[in-house]
Amino acid sequence: KDQILQMYLNEAPYGGATYGVESAAKSYFGKSAKDLNLVESAILAGIQAMEGWAMALIIQTQGSRLPLPQIRK
C-alpha cells in the first residue's frame, strides 16, 4: 500500500508540466512538500482532485505564490 501511494504521489498531474507532489510544492509555493502547511497541502490536494489543468490555470493567473491565511492554533 505504501508503495502504491508513493508512486501515485510522485506521478500525479498537478497542471501543465508539473507532475508529483514535490514538484507541485516547489512550483506553486517555492518550497519542499515536507515544509507545506495544512492550507498549502489542501490546495495541492484540491488541484490534484480537480481537472489538473483547470485549477492550475486559475492559480497561475493569481501568481505562482498565493497569499494564504494563517491557521490559528
Side-chain angles (χ1 to χ4, degrees), residues 17-52:
T18 305
Y19 289 87
V21 71
E22 184 67 24
S23 179
K26 288 181 180 175
S27 176
Y28 293 116
F29 301 109
K31 55 182 156 181
S32 176
K34 68 182 174 107
D35 297 323
L36 295 176
N37 64 36
L38 180 62
V39 174
E40 293 164 336
S41 298
I43 289 171
L44 289 186
I47 290 171
Q48 209 287 313
M50 292 182 67
E51 294 177 290

Side-chain angles (χ1 to χ4, degrees), residues 8-20:
Y8 175 76
L9 291 174
N10 287 332
E11 297 180 11
Y14 286 88
T18 305
Y19 289 87

